[in-house]
Amino acid sequence: MKILLNHLGFELVGQKKAIIDAPADLIARRFSIYLAGSRELAFAGELQKSGGVDNWGAGTWHYWIADFSELAVEGEYFLLIDEISPPFVSAMFAIAKRLFSEQILSDLVHYIKGQRCTGLYDQADKNRPKWGGKSAVMCMEAGTTLRATALNI
């Protein structure tokens, strides 16, 4: 059994769903969302059976949906599947305003910079031969506007 959810978290307004990968005969029908710090109940709901997916898991994989879109309070949370023992708990996740724009933008810029703007790639970009086999060299830094580094270009 697995709880599949966006490990980065969810925007304050919008859909918030987790997918539960569990047997078709799962006895649990409810789930709860708790504040991570205080363990206070923040939301409770019913699991919705989604069924299987053709040609996946030889017919043994079944999915349930935990929809907690109504939860619109910022914080760190975890999801718990009720009515089973031992308890089955998700990893922690956040709900916040501008979660993706503030958290992910920095990560994306760092990743892109690490892929193309440093080290061997940077040196290769700065010394790329000009298209067409001429001896001139063009600077292709970070995929931006071409800047000629030789005369007569």
Side-chain angles (χ1 to χ4, degrees), residues 53-121:
V53 176
D54 291 342
N55 302 318
W56 281 15
T60 60
W61 296 358
H62 294 274
Y63 300 95
W64 304 77
I65 306 295
D67 187 345
F68 51 102
S69 299
E70 295 175 27
L71 180 57
V73 178
E74 290 191 44
E76 294 281 327
Y77 298 93
F78 64 88
L79 184 148
L80 182 134
I81 305 298
D82 298 329
E83 304 165 336
I84 58 174
S85 183
F88 200 70
V89 180
S90 75
M92 289 194 326
F93 60 90
I95 295 177
K97 290 180 193 172
R98 298 183 305 275
L99 177 71
F100 299 124
S101 61
E102 292 179 4
Q103 180 178 347
I104 295 177
L105 182 61
S106 173
D107 292 345
L108 284 173
V109 169
H110 179 76
Y111 173 79
I112 291 168
K113 180 181 179 290
Q115 292 300 307
R116 295 299 299 172
C117 297
T118 60
L120 295 173
Y121 291 116

Coordinates of all heavy atoms in Angstrom, one line a residue, residues 53-121:
V53 N -6.3 0.3 -13.3 CA -5.9 0.9 -14.6 C -5.6 -0.3 -15.5 O -4.8 -1.2 -15.1 CB -4.7 1.8 -14.5 CG1 -4.2 2.3 -15.9 CG2 -5.0 3.0 -13.6
D54 N -6.2 -0.3 -16.7 CA -6.0 -1.5 -17.6 C -4.5 -1.7 -17.9 O -3.8 -0.8 -18.1 CB -6.7 -1.2 -18.9 CG -8.2 -1.2 -18.8 OD1 -8.7 -1.8 -17.8 OD2 -8.9 -0.7 -19.7
N55 N -4.1 -3.0 -17.8 CA -2.8 -3.4 -18.1 C -1.7 -3.0 -17.1 O -0.6 -3.0 -17.4 CB -2.4 -3.0 -19.5 CG -3.3 -3.5 -20.6 OD1 -3.7 -4.7 -20.6 ND2 -3.6 -2.7 -21.5
W56 N -2.2 -2.6 -15.9 CA -1.2 -2.2 -14.8 C -1.4 -3.3 -13.7 O -2.5 -3.5 -13.3 CB -1.5 -0.9 -14.3 CG -1.0 0.3 -15.0 CD1 -0.6 0.3 -16.3 CD2 -0.9 1.6 -14.6 NE1 -0.3 1.6 -16.7 CE2 -0.4 2.4 -15.7 CE3 -1.2 2.3 -13.4 CZ2 -0.2 3.8 -15.6 CZ3 -1.0 3.6 -13.3 CH2 -0.5 4.4 -14.4
G57 N -0.3 -3.8 -13.3 CA -0.3 -4.7 -12.1 C -1.1 -6.0 -12.3 O -1.5 -6.5 -11.3
A58 N -1.3 -6.4 -13.5 CA -2.0 -7.7 -13.7 C -3.4 -7.7 -13.0 O -3.8 -8.7 -12.4 CB -1.2 -8.9 -13.3
G59 N -4.0 -6.6 -12.9 CA -5.3 -6.5 -12.3 C -5.3 -6.4 -10.8 O -6.4 -6.5 -10.2
T60 N -4.1 -6.3 -10.2 CA -4.0 -6.3 -8.7 C -3.9 -4.9 -8.1 O -4.0 -4.8 -6.9 CB -2.9 -7.2 -8.2 OG1 -1.7 -6.6 -8.8 CG2 -3.0 -8.6 -8.7
W61 N -3.6 -3.9 -9.0 CA -3.5 -2.6 -8.5 C -4.8 -1.9 -8.5 O -5.5 -1.8 -9.5 CB -2.4 -1.8 -9.3 CG -1.0 -2.4 -9.2 CD1 -0.6 -3.4 -8.5 CD2 0.1 -1.9 -10.0 NE1 0.7 -3.6 -8.7 CE2 1.2 -2.7 -9.6 CE3 0.3 -0.8 -10.8 CZ2 2.4 -2.5 -10.2 CZ3 1.5 -0.6 -11.4 CH2 2.6 -1.4 -11.0
H62 N -5.2 -1.2 -7.4 CA -6.4 -0.5 -7.3 C -6.1 0.9 -6.6 O -5.2 1.0 -5.8 CB -7.5 -1.2 -6.5 CG -7.9 -2.5 -7.2 ND1 -8.9 -2.5 -8.1 CD2 -7.4 -3.8 -7.1 CE1 -9.0 -3.7 -8.6 NE2 -8.2 -4.5 -8.0
Y63 N -6.8 1.8 -7.0 CA -6.6 3.2 -6.5 C -7.8 3.8 -5.8 O -8.9 3.6 -6.2 CB -6.1 4.1 -7.7 CG -4.8 3.5 -8.3 CD1 -4.9 2.7 -9.4 CD2 -3.6 3.7 -7.7 CE1 -3.8 2.1 -9.9 CE2 -2.4 3.2 -8.3 CZ -2.6 2.4 -9.4 OH -1.4 1.8 -9.9
W64 N -7.5 4.6 -4.8 CA -8.5 5.3 -4.0 C -8.0 6.8 -4.0 O -6.8 7.1 -4.0 CB -8.5 4.8 -2.6 CG -8.8 3.3 -2.5 CD1 -7.9 2.3 -2.8 CD2 -10.1 2.7 -2.3 NE1 -8.6 1.1 -2.6 CE2 -9.9 1.3 -2.3 CE3 -11.3 3.2 -2.0 CZ2 -10.9 0.4 -2.1 CZ3 -12.3 2.3 -1.7 CH2 -12.1 0.9 -1.8
I65 N -9.0 7.7 -4.0 CA -8.7 9.1 -4.0 C -9.0 9.7 -2.6 O -10.1 9.5 -2.1 CB -9.5 9.9 -5.1 CG1 -9.3 9.2 -6.4 CG2 -9.1 11.4 -5.1 CD1 -7.9 9.3 -7.0
A66 N -8.1 10.5 -2.1 CA -8.3 11.2 -0.8 C -8.3 12.7 -1.3 O -7.3 13.3 -1.6 CB -7.2 11.0 0.2
D67 N -9.5 13.3 -1.3 CA -9.7 14.7 -1.8 C -9.8 15.6 -0.5 O -10.8 15.5 0.2 CB -10.9 14.8 -2.7 CG -11.0 16.2 -3.3 OD1 -10.4 17.1 -2.9 OD2 -11.8 16.3 -4.3
F68 N -8.9 16.5 -0.3 CA -8.9 17.4 0.8 C -8.8 18.8 0.3 O -8.3 19.7 0.9 CB -7.9 17.1 1.8 CG -6.5 16.9 1.3 CD1 -5.5 17.9 1.4 CD2 -6.1 15.7 0.7 CE1 -4.2 17.7 1.0 CE2 -4.8 15.6 0.2 CZ -3.9 16.6 0.3
S69 N -9.4 19.1 -0.9 CA -9.4 20.4 -1.5 C -10.0 21.5 -0.7 O -9.6 22.7 -0.8 CB -10.1 20.4 -2.9 OG -9.4 19.4 -3.7
E70 N -10.9 21.1 0.2 CA -11.6 22.1 1.1 C -10.6 22.6 2.2 O -10.9 23.7 2.7 CB -12.8 21.5 1.8 CG -13.9 21.1 0.8 CD -15.0 20.4 1.5 OE1 -15.2 20.6 2.7 OE2 -15.7 19.6 0.8
L71 N -9.5 21.9 2.5 CA -8.6 22.4 3.5 C -7.8 23.6 2.9 O -7.0 23.4 2.0 CB -7.6 21.3 3.9 CG -6.6 21.6 4.9 CD1 -7.2 22.1 6.2 CD2 -5.7 20.4 5.2
A72 N -8.0 24.8 3.5 CA -7.4 26.0 3.0 C -6.8 26.8 4.1 O -7.0 28.0 4.2 CB -8.4 26.8 2.2
V73 N -6.0 26.1 4.9 CA -5.2 26.7 6.0 C -3.8 26.4 5.8 O -3.4 25.2 5.7 CB -5.7 26.2 7.4 CG1 -4.9 26.9 8.5 CG2 -7.2 26.5 7.6
E74 N -2.9 27.4 5.8 CA -1.5 27.2 5.6 C -0.9 26.4 6.7 O -1.3 26.5 7.9 CB -0.7 28.5 5.5 CG -1.0 29.3 4.2 CD -0.1 30.5 4.0 OE1 1.1 30.3 4.2 OE2 -0.6 31.5 3.7
G75 N 0.0 25.5 6.4 CA 0.7 24.7 7.4 C 1.4 23.5 6.8 O 1.4 23.3 5.6
E76 N 2.0 22.7 7.7 CA 2.7 21.5 7.4 C 1.8 20.4 7.9 O 1.3 20.4 9.1 CB 4.0 21.4 8.1 CG 5.1 22.4 7.6 CD 5.7 21.9 6.3 OE1 5.8 20.7 6.0 OE2 6.0 22.8 5.5
Y77 N 1.5 19.4 7.0 CA 0.5 18.3 7.3 C 1.0 17.0 7.0 O 2.0 16.8 6.3 CB -0.8 18.6 6.5 CG -1.5 19.9 6.8 CD1 -1.2 21.0 6.0 CD2 -2.4 20.0 7.8 CE1 -1.9 22.2 6.3 CE2 -3.1 21.2 8.1 CZ -2.8 22.3 7.3 OH -3.4 23.5 7.6
F78 N 0.3 16.0 7.5 CA 0.4 14.6 7.0 C -0.9 14.0 6.9 O -1.9 14.4 7.6 CB 1.4 13.8 7.9 CG 0.9 13.6 9.3 CD1 0.1 12.5 9.6 CD2 1.3 14.4 10.3 CE1 -0.3 12.3 10.9 CE2 0.9 14.3 11.6 CZ 0.1 13.2 11.9
L79 N -1.1 12.9 6.0 CA -2.3 12.2 5.8 C -2.2 10.9 6.5 O -1.2 10.2 6.4 CB -2.5 12.1 4.3 CG -3.8 11.5 3.8 CD1 -4.2 12.1 2.5 CD2 -3.7 10.0 3.7
L80 N -3.3 10.5 7.1 CA -3.4 9.2 7.8 C -4.6 8.4 7.2 O -5.7 9.0 7.1 CB -3.5 9.4 9.3 CG -3.6 8.1 10.1 CD1 -2.6 8.2 11.3 CD2 -5.0 7.8 10.6
I81 N -4.4 7.2 6.9 CA -5.6 6.3 6.5 C -6.2 5.8 7.7 O -5.5 5.1 8.5 CB -5.1 5.2 5.6 CG1 -4.3 5.7 4.4 CG2 -6.3 4.3 5.1 CD1 -5.1 6.6 3.4
D82 N -7.5 6.1 8.0 CA -8.2 5.6 9.2 C -8.6 4.2 9.0 O -8.6 3.6 7.9 CB -9.4 6.5 9.4 CG -9.1 8.0 9.7 OD1 -8.0 8.3 10.2 OD2 -9.9 8.8 9.3
E83 N -9.0 3.6 10.1 CA -9.6 2.3 10.2 C -8.7 1.1 9.9 O -9.2 0.0 9.6 CB -10.9 2.2 9.3 CG -11.9 3.3 9.6 CD -12.9 3.5 8.5 OE1 -12.6 3.1 7.3 OE2 -14.0 4.0 8.8
I84 N -7.4 1.3 9.9 CA -6.5 0.2 9.7 C -5.4 0.3 10.8 O -5.1 1.3 11.3 CB -5.8 0.1 8.3 CG1 -5.0 1.4 8.0 CG2 -6.8 -0.1 7.2 CD1 -4.2 1.4 6.7
S85 N -4.9 -0.9 11.1 CA -3.8 -1.0 12.1 C -2.7 -1.9 11.6 O -3.0 -3.0 11.1 CB -4.4 -1.5 13.4 OG -3.5 -1.5 14.5
P86 N -1.5 -1.5 11.7 CA -1.0 -0.2 12.3 C -1.4 1.0 11.3 O -1.6 0.8 10.2 CB 0.5 -0.4 12.3 CG 0.8 -1.4 11.3 CD -0.4 -2.3 11.2
P87 N -1.3 2.2 11.9 CA -1.7 3.3 11.0 C -0.8 3.5 9.8 O 0.4 3.2 9.9 CB -1.5 4.5 12.0 CG -1.5 3.9 13.4 CD -1.0 2.6 13.2
F88 N -1.4 3.9 8.7 CA -0.6 4.2 7.5 C -0.6 5.7 7.3 O -1.6 6.3 7.1 CB -1.3 3.4 6.3 CG -0.4 3.2 5.2 CD1 0.7 2.3 5.3 CD2 -0.5 3.9 4.0 CE1 1.6 2.2 4.2 CE2 0.4 3.8 3.0 CZ 1.4 2.9 3.1
V89 N 0.6 6.2 7.3 CA 0.8 7.7 7.3 C 1.7 8.1 6.1 O 2.6 7.5 5.7 CB 1.5 8.1 8.6 CG1 1.7 9.6 8.7 CG2 0.7 7.6 9.8
S90 N 1.3 9.3 5.5 CA 2.1 9.8 4.4 C 3.3 10.6 4.9 O 3.4 10.8 6.1 CB 1.2 10.8 3.6 OG 1.0 12.0 4.3
A91 N 4.1 11.0 4.0 CA 5.2 11.9 4.3 C 4.5 13.3 4.5 O 3.4 13.6 4.2 CB 6.1 12.0 3.1
M92 N 5.3 14.2 5.2 CA 4.8 15.5 5.4 C 4.7 16.3 4.1 O 5.5 16.1 3.2 CB 5.6 16.3 6.4 CG 5.5 15.7 7.8 SD 6.1 16.7 9.2 CE 7.5 17.5 8.5
F93 N 3.8 17.2 4.0 CA 3.6 18.1 2.9 C 3.1 19.5 3.4 O 2.6 19.6 4.5 CB 2.7 17.5 1.8 CG 1.3 17.3 2.4 CD1 0.3 18.2 2.3 CD2 1.0 16.0 2.9 CE1 -1.0 18.0 2.8 CE2 -0.3 15.8 3.4 CZ -1.3 16.8 3.3
A94 N 3.3 20.5 2.6 CA 2.9 21.9 2.9 C 1.7 22.3 2.2 O 1.4 21.8 1.1 CB 4.0 22.8 2.7
I95 N 0.9 23.2 2.8 CA -0.1 23.9 2.1 C 0.2 25.4 2.3 O 0.3 25.8 3.5 CB -1.5 23.6 2.6 CG1 -1.9 22.1 2.3 CG2 -2.6 24.5 2.0 CD1 -3.2 21.6 2.8
A96 N 0.3 26.2 1.3 CA 0.7 27.6 1.4 C 0.4 28.4 0.2 O 0.3 27.8 -0.9 CB 2.2 27.7 1.7
K97 N 0.3 29.7 0.4 CA 0.1 30.6 -0.8 C 1.5 30.6 -1.5 O 2.5 30.6 -0.9 CB -0.1 32.0 -0.3 CG -1.5 32.2 0.3 CD -1.6 33.7 0.8 CE -2.8 33.9 1.7 NZ -2.9 35.2 2.2
R98 N 1.4 30.8 -2.8 CA 2.6 30.9 -3.7 C 3.6 29.9 -3.4 O 4.8 30.2 -3.5 CB 3.1 32.3 -3.6 CG 2.1 33.4 -4.1 CD 2.7 34.8 -4.0 NE 3.3 35.2 -2.7 CZ 2.5 35.7 -1.8 NH1 1.3 35.9 -1.9 NH2 3.1 36.0 -0.6
L99 N 3.2 28.7 -3.0 CA 4.2 27.7 -2.6 C 5.1 27.4 -3.8 O 6.3 27.3 -3.6 CB 3.4 26.4 -2.2 CG 4.3 25.2 -1.9 CD1 5.0 25.4 -0.6 CD2 3.4 23.9 -1.8
F100 N 4.6 27.2 -5.0 CA 5.4 26.8 -6.1 C 6.2 28.0 -6.6 O 7.4 27.8 -7.0 CB 4.5 26.2 -7.2 CG 3.8 25.0 -6.8 CD1 2.4 24.9 -6.9 CD2 4.5 23.9 -6.2 CE1 1.7 23.8 -6.5 CE2 3.8 22.8 -5.8 CZ 2.4 22.7 -5.9
S101 N 5.6 29.1 -6.7 CA 6.4 30.3 -7.3 C 7.6 30.6 -6.4 O 8.6 31.0 -7.0 CB 5.4 31.5 -7.5 OG 4.9 31.9 -6.3
E102 N 7.4 30.6 -5.1 CA 8.5 31.0 -4.3 C 9.5 29.8 -4.1 O 10.7 30.0 -4.1 CB 8.0 31.5 -3.0 CG 7.3 32.8 -3.1 CD 6.7 33.4 -1.8 OE1 6.9 32.7 -0.8 OE2 6.0 34.4 -1.9
Q103 N 9.1 28.6 -3.9 CA 9.9 27.5 -3.6 C 10.6 26.9 -4.8 O 11.8 26.7 -4.9 CB 9.2 26.4 -2.8 CG 10.0 25.2 -2.5 CD 9.2 24.1 -1.7 OE1 8.1 24.4 -1.3 NE2 9.8 23.0 -1.6
I104 N 9.8 26.7 -5.8 CA 10.3 26.1 -7.0 C 11.1 26.9 -7.9 O 12.1 26.5 -8.5 CB 9.1 25.4 -7.8 CG1 8.5 24.3 -6.9 CG2 9.6 24.9 -9.1 CD1 7.3 23.7 -7.6
L105 N 10.8 28.2 -8.0 CA 11.5 29.1 -8.9 C 13.0 29.1 -8.5 O 13.9 29.0 -9.4 CB 11.0 30.6 -8.8 CG 11.7 31.5 -9.7 CD1 11.5 31.1 -11.2 CD2 11.1 32.9 -9.5
S106 N 13.3 29.2 -7.3 CA 14.7 29.2 -6.8 C 15.4 27.9 -7.2 O 16.5 27.8 -7.7 CB 14.8 29.4 -5.3 OG 16.1 29.3 -4.9
D107 N 14.7 26.8 -7.0 CA 15.2 25.4 -7.3 C 15.4 25.3 -8.8 O 16.5 24.7 -9.2 CB 14.3 24.3 -6.8 CG 14.2 24.3 -5.3 OD1 15.1 24.9 -4.6 OD2 13.3 23.6 -4.8
L108 N 14.5 25.8 -9.6 CA 14.7 25.7 -11.1 C 15.8 26.5 -11.6 O 16.6 26.0 -12.4 CB 13.4 26.2 -11.8 CG 12.2 25.2 -11.7 CD1 11.0 25.9 -12.3 CD2 12.5 23.9 -12.5
V109 N 16.0 27.7 -11.1 CA 17.1 28.6 -11.5 C 18.4 27.9 -11.1 O 19.4 27.8 -11.9 CB 17.0 30.0 -10.9 CG1 18.3 30.8 -11.1 CG2 15.8 30.7 -11.5
H110 N 18.5 27.4 -9.9 CA 19.7 26.7 -9.5 C 20.0 25.5 -10.4 O 21.1 25.2 -10.8 CB 19.6 26.2 -8.0 CG 20.7 25.5 -7.5 ND1 21.9 26.1 -7.1 CD2 20.9 24.2 -7.3 CE1 22.8 25.2 -6.7 NE2 22.2 24.0 -6.8
Y111 N 19.0 24.7 -10.7 CA 19.2 23.5 -11.5 C 19.6 23.9 -12.9 O 20.6 23.3 -13.4 CB 17.8 22.7 -11.6 CG 17.9 21.6 -12.6 CD1 18.5 20.4 -12.3 CD2 17.4 21.8 -13.9 CE1 18.6 19.4 -13.2 CE2 17.4 20.7 -14.8 CZ 18.1 19.5 -14.5 OH 18.1 18.5 -15.4
I112 N 19.0 24.9 -13.5 CA 19.3 25.3 -14.9 C 20.8 25.9 -14.9 O 21.6 25.5 -15.8 CB 18.3 26.3 -15.4 CG1 17.0 25.6 -15.7 CG2 18.8 27.0 -16.7 CD1 15.8 26.5 -16.0
K113 N 21.1 26.7 -13.9 CA 22.5 27.2 -13.8 C 23.5 26.1 -13.7 O 24.5 26.1 -14.4 CB 22.6 28.1 -12.6 CG 24.0 28.7 -12.5 CD 24.0 29.6 -11.3 CE 25.4 30.2 -11.1 NZ 26.4 29.3 -10.7
G114 N 23.2 25.1 -12.9 CA 24.1 24.0 -12.7 C 24.2 23.1 -14.0 O 25.2 22.5 -14.2
Q115 N 23.2 23.1 -14.8 CA 23.3 22.3 -16.0 C 24.1 22.9 -17.2 O 24.7 22.2 -17.9 CB 21.8 22.0 -16.6 CG 21.0 21.1 -15.7 CD 21.7 19.8 -15.5 OE1 22.0 19.1 -16.5 NE2 21.9 19.4 -14.3
R116 N 24.0 24.2 -17.3 CA 24.6 24.8 -18.5 C 25.6 26.0 -18.2 O 26.2 26.4 -19.1 CB 23.5 25.4 -19.4 CG 22.7 24.3 -20.0 CD 23.4 23.3 -20.8 NE 24.0 23.9 -22.0 CZ 24.8 23.4 -22.8 NH1 25.2 22.1 -22.6 NH2 25.3 24.0 -23.8
C117 N 25.6 26.6 -17.1 CA 26.3 27.9 -16.9 C 27.6 27.8 -16.2 O 28.2 28.8 -15.8 CB 25.4 28.9 -16.2 SG 23.9 29.2 -17.2
T118 N 28.1 26.6 -15.9 CA 29.3 26.5 -15.1 C 30.2 25.4 -15.7 O 29.7 24.5 -16.4 CB 29.1 26.2 -13.6 OG1 28.3 25.0 -13.5 CG2 28.3 27.3 -13.0
G119 N 31.4 25.4 -15.3 CA 32.3 24.3 -15.6 C 32.6 24.0 -17.1 O 32.7 24.9 -17.9
L120 N 32.6 22.8 -17.4 CA 33.0 22.3 -18.8 C 32.0 22.8 -19.8 O 32.3 23.2 -20.9 CB 33.0 20.8 -18.8 CG 34.2 20.2 -18.0 CD1 34.0 18.7 -18.0 CD2 35.5 20.6 -18.5
Y121 N 30.7 22.8 -19.4 CA 29.6 23.3 -20.4 C 29.8 24.8 -20.7 O 29.7 25.2 -21.8 CB 28.2 23.1 -19.8 CG 27.9 21.6 -19.8 CD1 27.6 21.0 -18.6 CD2 27.7 20.8 -20.9 CE1 27.3 19.6 -18.5 CE2 27.4 19.5 -20.9 CZ 27.2 18.9 -19.7 OH 26.8 17.6 -19.6

